[in-house]
Amino acid sequence: MIESSVIARQLYVNKTQLADVLGLGVESLHRRKRESAARVQSRMRDLIEIINRARPWAGSVNQAFAWYRSQPLPSFGGQTAEALVKQGNAAAVKAYLSRISEGGYA
């Protein structure tokens, strides 16, 4: 199981901020039983995977997280990776990053 406290610590945010980044209710990360729910674990897994894919060219985990939160993606009408994940479109962000890593255009 992915623990939100570990992710929050690595990203220098608190659990409330992390819940917002993931598009989840605050209680989802503050109660152990809810944190282990499939939807919550899936969102955290998506966040980790996307940040890990962006980290090599972003420079660090923190810079990859900043990219995730603030960089408009032209392929998605200027939405950020964060907005897309909140909408349940993490697969589209992963496909976008795969395309970029293979030399494709944004």
Side-chain angles (χ1 to χ4, degrees), residues 23-85:
L24 300 169
V26 175
E27 293 298 315
S28 297
L29 301 182
H30 286 284
R31 296 192 180 200
R32 190 83 159 146
K33 187 175 182 180
R34 289 186 182 177
E35 183 179 51
S36 64
R39 178 173 177 253
V40 175
Q41 288 293 304
S42 176
R43 289 273 175 99
M44 287 193 289
R45 195 174 307 108
D46 289 336
L47 171 68
I48 292 167
E49 186 176 343
I50 291 167
I51 288 176
N52 282 336
R53 286 185 182 193
R55 186 180 42 79
W57 49 263
S60 70
V61 169
N62 290 329
Q63 289 172 319
F65 185 53
W67 169 86
Y68 175 88
R69 297 204 71 197
S70 63
Q71 182 64 45
L73 304 177
S75 295
F76 300 101
Q79 293 185 74
T80 62
E82 176 183 11
L84 291 163
V85 170

Side-chain angles (χ1 to χ4, degrees), residues 4 6 11 16 28 47 56 61 74 77-78 85 98 105:
S4 61
V6 174
L11 298 176
T16 301
S28 297
L47 171 68
V61 169
V85 170
S98 293
Y105 293 100

